[in-house]
Amino acid sequence: MVQYMTIREMWHYMVFQTKGYRRLQAAIVLGALTAAAVPYLNSVFYARILDLLLLSRYQAAVSAVVLMTGSLLVLNLVARGCERMVFHYCEPCEAEVKKRMAQKAFSMEYESIDRTETLAVFRRVRAGEQGMGGVQKQLLEIWQFFKELAGIAFAAGFLLVLFSRTDRAKESAAVSFLLPAVMIFSICAVLVLSSFFSRKDGEFRVETELKNEHINTLSAYLIGLIERESYAKSVRLFGLKDYLYKKYLQFQNIGAIYTEEGCHSGKCQMVPAFATQMLAAVTYIYIAAKALAGSITIGEVTMYAGAVIAMIAGIQALLNRYQTINYMNEYLNTYEEFITSPNMHYDGTLPIEKRDDNEYLLEFSHVSFRYPGTEQDILKDVSLTFHIGEKLALVGVNGAGKTTLIKLLCRLYEPTEGEIRLNGINIEKYDYEEYVQIFSVVFQDFKLYDFPLEENVASGMQVDNEKLWKVLGQTGLRECVEKMPDQQKTLLGHENGAGVLLSGGEAQKLAIARALYKDAPFIILDEPTAALDPFAEAEVYENFHTLTGNRTAVYISHRMSSCKFCDRIVVLEDGKILEEGDHDGLLAKKGRYYELYHAQEKYYTGGMC
């Protein structure tokens, strides 16, 4: 359903997107009025000059020409100046809006960004932008709308003056009453028909553009599948070449939907166009009758006729532009909704105490959590203390709640019930930016960026070469990086140039190096060896205590054999803590950990060929 913008909303939208510059607001009003006034001022002077020439008043006609030239020059200069000012503020707004979006994304709740519906909205925005243009195009459309609206206002003024130029002594009743009534009725009929068919045309156009959005989305996705090296193996091994190529060819028929839209648009414009021509005939008859009656001069005939026809044409153009604006508003208003959405519900103000001894005690107190919009608790009444300097392992089957627990700890989500405390204080009371600085995290779905390797490791911090090479050595990457074309300055990936593609194991080591480089007092490794070969994995396990030092470390793994390196193991099952203890103690209990450990042990002791 199309959301129709009022003129007031258009004004506020333009002011909002251009950061509310007052000079721009004045330029919009003044520019619209002067630009719209130019053709009507022309008509007034032309009518005056023609009348003067017919009266052989040549000197006065020359004076009128001079005055017209000067007046139009001033108006055009003001209109052009205002137009350039509007363009000046509209041109950079596309980048400004994206900047605002980035700033907003960094300051809002992670759970809002993580929602499927949020991602779907932005996907539609990108697809719609490809079809109709971005915020800058929308602002310029609104600017043109205001100019056309001002032109219609001027034309309506001319029409009122025309109706007032009545001399009942000279005009017949038909000229004084009947023709004006017919003309007003005709104008109203044209307006109604234009509005009705313009709306129908606009609704059909929206349907067409929605189809195009879907095509744009799928087309971009298919191009990504075809061009990106990460899909190349699957495409070849599963014989997807012809399948993908045929799918892509389907989008070559996009012209058909626009041909259909063009035919529909032509039909919708046919009736208003015919009605406009009939109105033009009535207008000329009415103006000619008034001229014959002597109510208006010969020069004024062309002036009033042009004004009435310009008004009708302007209204039709305005209605078409209005439909365009409202369609664009369908996806562009998502920017404003996003930017004006609430930030974190409680950011906190307490600073984090800077401690050289890394003594940050974190504890869960009866914490339960369910994801927004769901009814099932992922964590259920969890109480857990992370002892200072301890190496703790979280184990359990998929869906036990291990990663969710870490997201709560890092304050990506807030508990549904209970609280999380840092040194005895609820973490919500701490300044969020300071709080997250005490964590270095490597999630399973970590991301590297197509930037130089050193920038990936430093991750926004100042690059310290000594520290950089130290963590590369700790993670076994030093020799690999030394062989790269530009060593630590080597570009990663292919999105920003001819960079280097890391293997899965190398990428995972680099993610661990990034976590170590941050040197936070609390380090979290979520499946840190999943992509490593057995030798590299063994190396990480053997150096686990060296890598983490005196920092508190949380280690999430599905491999029970890796947990023997940890001081304490916590077994999660269905969102609850089922068992906890050290490796030997839990094996001796012969509980859930014992079952998981021996279920995996057979794969390493000949249980399978």
Side-chain angles (χ1 to χ4, degrees), residues 393-461:
L394 293 176
V395 301
V397 298
N398 288 334
K402 304 183 296 297
T403 300
T404 299
L405 188 148
I406 296 303
K407 288 181 177 180
L408 286 168
L409 183 65
C410 296
R411 210 174 157 191
L412 295 176
Y413 290 98
E414 306 291 347
T416 307
E417 297 177 10
E419 66 177 14
I420 305 170
R421 295 190 288 264
L422 169 62
N423 293 342
I425 300 174
N426 192 318
I427 62 173
E428 287 190 358
K429 295 183 179 180
Y430 287 105
D431 179 272
Y432 179 81
E433 294 296 333
E434 289 197 21
Y435 177 78
V436 297
Q437 290 308 309
I438 70 172
F439 296 99
S440 286
V441 189
V442 181
F443 284 114
Q444 295 180 53
D445 57 349
F446 68 88
K447 302 296 182 186
L448 297 180
Y449 311 106
D450 287 9
F451 301 138
L453 182 142
E454 64 179 7
E455 293 181 19
N456 271 274
V457 175
S459 194
M461 298 192 302

Side-chain angles (χ1 to χ4, degrees), residues 325-478:
I325 289 170
N326 285 314
Y327 167 70
M328 296 177 74
N329 187 55
E330 280 289 283
Y331 64 88
L332 288 174
N333 62 10
T334 307
Y335 287 111
E336 187 171 350
E337 291 172 5
F338 177 72
I339 292 169
T340 56
S341 63
N343 290 335
M344 297 187 66
H345 74 278
Y346 188 72
D347 194 8
T349 56
L350 285 179
I352 297 291
E353 182 184 4
K354 305 298 186 294
R355 303 183 63 102
D356 294 332
D357 56 10
N358 288 336
E359 291 195 2
Y360 296 95
L361 181 67
L362 280 152
E363 52 187 333
F364 279 57
S365 178
H366 301 287
V367 170
S368 296
F369 175 75
R370 71 179 66 96
Y371 283 98
T374 65
E375 298 181 356
Q376 181 180 1
D377 284 345
I378 304 299
L379 293 179
K380 305 166 185 175
D381 195 29
V382 172
S383 293
L384 176 65
T385 299
F386 298 87
H387 301 301
I388 297 168
E390 181 185 42
K391 317 306 177 192
L392 181 143
L394 293 176
V395 301
V397 298
N398 288 334
K402 304 183 296 297
T403 300
T404 299
L405 188 148
I406 296 303
K407 288 181 177 180
L408 286 168
L409 183 65
C410 296
R411 210 174 157 191
L412 295 176
Y413 290 98
E414 306 291 347
T416 307
E417 297 177 10
E419 66 177 14
I420 305 170
R421 295 190 288 264
L422 169 62
N423 293 342
I425 300 174
N426 192 318
I427 62 173
E428 287 190 358
K429 295 183 179 180
Y430 287 105
D431 179 272
Y432 179 81
E433 294 296 333
E434 289 197 21
Y435 177 78
V436 297
Q437 290 308 309
I438 70 172
F439 296 99
S440 286
V441 189
V442 181
F443 284 114
Q444 295 180 53
D445 57 349
F446 68 88
K447 302 296 182 186
L448 297 180
Y449 311 106
D450 287 9
F451 301 138
L453 182 142
E454 64 179 7
E455 293 181 19
N456 271 274
V457 175
S459 194
M461 298 192 302
Q462 185 69 33
V463 176
D464 182 329
N465 282 324
E466 183 179 348
K467 187 177 178 181
L468 173 71
W469 287 106
K470 179 182 177 181
V471 297
L472 291 176
Q474 287 177 320
T475 53
L477 276 175
R478 185 183 184 105

Side-chain angles (χ1 to χ4, degrees), residues 217-227 243-249 251:
T217 301
L218 287 181
S219 179
Y221 177 67
L222 281 174
I223 290 174
L225 287 179
I226 293 168
E227 293 181 348
Y243 169 76
L244 293 176
Y245 186 66
K246 287 178 182 177
K247 270 192 167 295
Y248 184 71
L249 286 180
F251 301 128

Side-chain angles (χ1 to χ4, degrees), residues 78-278:
V78 173
R80 291 291 179 87
C82 292
E83 184 177 57
R84 288 315 308 163
M85 188 177 292
V86 171
F87 272 80
H88 172 74
Y89 286 112
C90 289
E91 283 175 342
C93 69
E94 201 82 46
E96 181 64 30
V97 166
K98 287 179 172 59
K99 176 183 173 183
R100 286 177 182 165
M101 288 181 64
Q103 292 172 336
K104 185 65 181 183
F106 295 145
S107 63
M108 71 187 304
E109 301 267 6
Y110 173 80
E111 64 184 54
S112 299
I113 296 292
D114 198 37
R115 289 177 183 171
T116 303
E117 56 267 28
T118 303
L119 300 176
V121 166
F122 283 107
R123 186 167 55 248
R124 180 171 183 254
V125 168
R126 289 192 297 270
E129 187 172 348
Q130 291 174 5
M132 289 293 291
V135 176
Q136 180 184 348
K137 177 71 183 301
Q138 172 77 317
L139 294 175
L140 295 179
E141 288 287 335
I142 292 175
W143 159 244
Q144 293 295 331
F145 179 90
F146 286 144
K147 288 203 297 184
E148 289 167 355
L149 190 64
I152 292 170
F154 279 118
F158 273 74
L159 188 62
L160 290 175
V161 172
L162 174 63
F163 289 148
S164 68
R165 297 286 297 275
T166 300
D167 189 342
R168 295 182 182 178
K170 297 179 180 179
E171 295 178 3
S172 64
V175 175
S176 297
F177 301 106
L178 181 60
L179 283 177
V182 171
M183 191 172 171
I184 292 172
F185 174 80
S186 300
I187 291 173
C188 292
V190 169
L191 292 178
V192 170
L193 288 171
S194 295
S195 179
F196 174 76
F197 283 102
S198 177
R199 184 178 291 265
K200 286 190 64 176
D201 187 22
E203 290 173 352
F204 193 84
R205 185 182 182 187
V206 168
E207 293 177 10
T208 301
E209 295 297 344
L210 288 176
K211 293 177 185 176
N212 186 36
E213 287 176 14
H214 179 65
I215 290 172
N216 284 335
T217 301
L218 287 181
S219 179
Y221 177 67
L222 281 174
I223 290 174
L225 287 179
I226 293 168
E227 293 181 348
R228 291 181 186 172
E229 65 278 353
S230 55
Y231 298 104
K233 293 191 294 293
S234 297
V235 169
R236 283 157 178 76
L237 294 176
F238 286 93
L240 297 174
K241 181 180 68 174
D242 292 338
Y243 169 76
L244 293 176
Y245 186 66
K246 287 178 182 177
K247 270 192 167 295
Y248 184 71
L249 286 180
Q250 292 175 6
F251 301 128
Q252 303 306 306
N253 296 326
I254 184 174
I257 66 171
Y258 282 104
T259 300
E260 183 182 3
E261 194 271 334
C263 292
H264 185 273
S265 180
K267 292 176 182 177
C268 287
Q269 292 175 14
M270 180 176 63
V271 174
F274 176 77
T276 301
Q277 293 303 313
M278 297 303 296

